[in-house]
Amino acid sequence: AALVNQVGHHLDTAFGAADILVWCEGGKEAGEAVHHLVNGEPHALEVDAPTVLLAKTVAKGRQPRFFRSQAELSEFYRSKGWKMSDLVPRACMAVPLEVGDGLTGALLVQDFRHARQFSAENFDLLKSIAAPLSVAITNAQLYTGTRRRTSELAEASDKAQRALQEAEQANQAKTRFLATMSHEIRTPLNGIIGMTSMLMENNLNNDQMAIIEIIRTSAETLSALINDILDLSKIESGRLELEHHPFNLHECMEAALNLQVPRAMERGLDLAYFIEPGTPEFIAGDIARLRQVMVNLLSNGLKFTERGGVFLKVWEELLPDETALLPDRAQLHFSVSDTGIGIPPEKMSGLF
């Protein structure tokens, strides 16, 4: 609009015409635009006004029009079947515009006061103005579109940032809740595990010992499940940290198997482990996480095995790009195999 106002002022000065109209075809992001100035002031027009229809005709036909008198213009209106008002310009010049993206437009300069107000030289001058005006309008549209898209992107970015912050806050709240609940549940569970361990040191018959063992195993299983839930929350929030402390590999593997012995005995399955000779007895790492992984794998193997058993094997293998075992670093391979139904190949990718 500001560009059209400036152009209107210069055209009024150049041609002595007080009525200027610029029409631009609508694109994907905006509808058609009509800018009508009378004596430098915006003036509304109906979309089916003859002047607007003339602008559309010139734009789509891409042919300039020069009407020297009111009679010529009225005849043209009647030939198109357009409804005429009492006010018909006494002279009119119209030239097509190219406003970018293959869209068209038109510039009309009209005079309602004098017939034959415009000369052929005026018409040629207006046609020469059309090209730079088209470029100016295109640039203005690009600038406006860029500002609008920049604003939309900034708004979308703000919304995404707010959504991310809300998600992080919700995740932190969930982590705090899980940590609190796990602590509250662990306290009585530790009491149950401790009391059952003390009971097992007394003189109990076989039935009593079996009952106490089931209670302790169930409590330990529930405690491990709580740890799994808390670890999952830490992994989701990116705050899970692995410890690095020396521990006995044999004791770690035996502890993992001992947690699954009652279940194996209940199902009548074999459960064993083997650590190949030469495998380091003491290693540094996170014993709790390693034991937890082994418990999960052994538990899953027992779950889907009806006959036979589950076997855990551990051995040391060469580090990448190494040709011999190193005394200060080791890469261990843990393998859990079972005689169960197995896993279909198409589901393997969803496990690891």
Side-chain angles (χ1 to χ4, degrees):
L3 174 64
V4 172
N5 290 338
Q6 294 179 7
V7 171
H9 172 73
H10 292 299
L11 292 177
D12 189 4
T13 303
F15 301 114
D19 195 290
I20 309 295
L21 183 139
V22 176
W23 177 86
C24 295
E25 183 181 12
K28 295 180 180 179
E29 299 182 358
E32 64 180 63
V34 179
H35 302 281
H36 184 212
L37 300 177
V38 177
N39 294 320
E41 297 295 330
H43 186 271
L45 278 178
E46 298 292 336
V47 294
D48 60 347
T51 303
V52 177
L53 297 177
L54 173 59
K56 293 180 179 181
T57 301
V58 170
K60 293 178 180 179
R62 289 182 168 83
Q63 291 294 326
R65 295 274 184 173
F66 185 15
F67 301 95
R68 292 177 173 81
S69 66
Q70 189 180 62
E72 290 182 18
L73 191 55
S74 298
E75 180 61 29
F76 181 79
Y77 286 172
R78 282 192 290 269
S79 68
K80 296 293 184 179
W82 298 339
K83 179 181 178 181
M84 290 191 299
S85 64
D86 294 335
L87 293 176
V88 176
R90 293 178 176 274
C92 176
M93 298 185 296
V95 293
L97 303 173
E98 298 287 342
V99 293
D101 291 335
L103 303 179
T104 58
L107 168 64
L108 273 66
V109 178
Q110 307 175 114
D111 193 279
F112 286 84
R113 298 166 296 183
H114 309 289
R116 304 188 183 281
Q117 171 70 13
F118 309 124
S119 65
E121 289 77 11
N122 292 147
F123 190 41
D124 291 337
L125 177 59
L126 187 65
K127 287 188 288 185
S128 66
I129 293 173
L133 179 59
S134 297
V135 173
I137 293 176
T138 301
N139 290 338
Q141 290 176 332
L142 290 173
Y143 175 72
T144 302
T146 301
R147 288 189 60 185
R148 181 175 62 254
R149 284 189 289 271
T150 301
S151 176
E152 292 171 352
L153 287 173
E155 183 178 356
S157 178
D158 290 341
K159 288 182 179 179
Q161 187 66 28
R162 288 194 297 270
L164 179 60
Q165 291 175 352
E166 292 173 359
E168 290 178 348
Q169 291 173 357
N171 193 53
Q172 292 173 0
K174 181 184 70 173
T175 301
R176 289 193 297 270
F177 171 77
L178 290 174
T180 302
M181 290 303 298
S182 64
H183 174 74
E184 296 295 332
I185 297 174
R186 273 202 198 97
T187 300
L189 276 178
N190 291 334
I192 294 173
I193 294 172
M195 291 299 102
T196 54
S197 298
M198 294 177 63
L199 282 173
M200 293 177 69
E201 295 176 359
N202 296 327
N203 295 324
L204 303 175
N205 59 40
N206 292 338
D207 291 340
Q208 291 172 332
M209 183 65 73
I211 292 173
I212 296 299
E213 181 65 31
I214 292 174
I215 294 174
R216 189 184 72 169
T217 303
S218 299
E220 290 175 344
T221 302
L222 182 56
S223 179
L225 179 60
I226 293 171
N227 289 336
D228 289 346
I229 295 174
L230 185 59
D231 285 347
L232 177 61
S233 176
K234 289 181 179 179
I235 291 172
E236 289 179 346
S237 61
R239 294 189 296 179
L240 179 65
E241 296 182 0
L242 297 178
E243 296 181 357
H244 191 78
H245 301 293
F247 63 90
N248 188 296
L249 180 62
H250 291 258
E251 292 179 358
C252 178
M253 295 300 99
E254 288 179 359
L257 262 73
N258 288 339
L259 291 174
Q260 299 301 316
V261 167
R263 188 175 185 184
M265 295 177 61
E266 180 184 341
R267 296 173 63 87
L269 299 173
D270 295 329
L271 182 63
Y273 81 98
F274 176 72
I275 299 179
E276 285 194 355
T279 303
E281 182 178 359
F282 290 92
I283 59 175
D286 194 326
I287 183 174
R289 299 288 180 261
L290 177 58
R291 182 173 59 241
Q292 183 179 1
V293 171
M294 294 300 106
V295 168
N296 290 342
L297 293 175
L298 293 169
S299 175
N300 191 69
L302 291 171
K303 179 179 179 181
F304 295 101
T305 301
E306 297 294 336
R307 294 187 302 274
V310 178
F311 184 66
L312 168 62
K313 185 178 180 181
V314 185
W315 67 91
E316 183 180 8
E317 59 185 15
L318 292 174
L319 290 164
D321 301 326
E322 297 291 345
T323 58
L325 299 177
L326 302 177
D328 58 340
R329 288 189 299 162
Q331 178 167 291
L332 303 182
H333 192 115
F334 298 83
S335 171
V336 176
S337 58
D338 60 67
T339 58
I341 59 176
I343 302 174
E346 62 273 13
K347 294 186 178 180
M348 289 293 291
S349 60
L351 296 178
F352 306 102

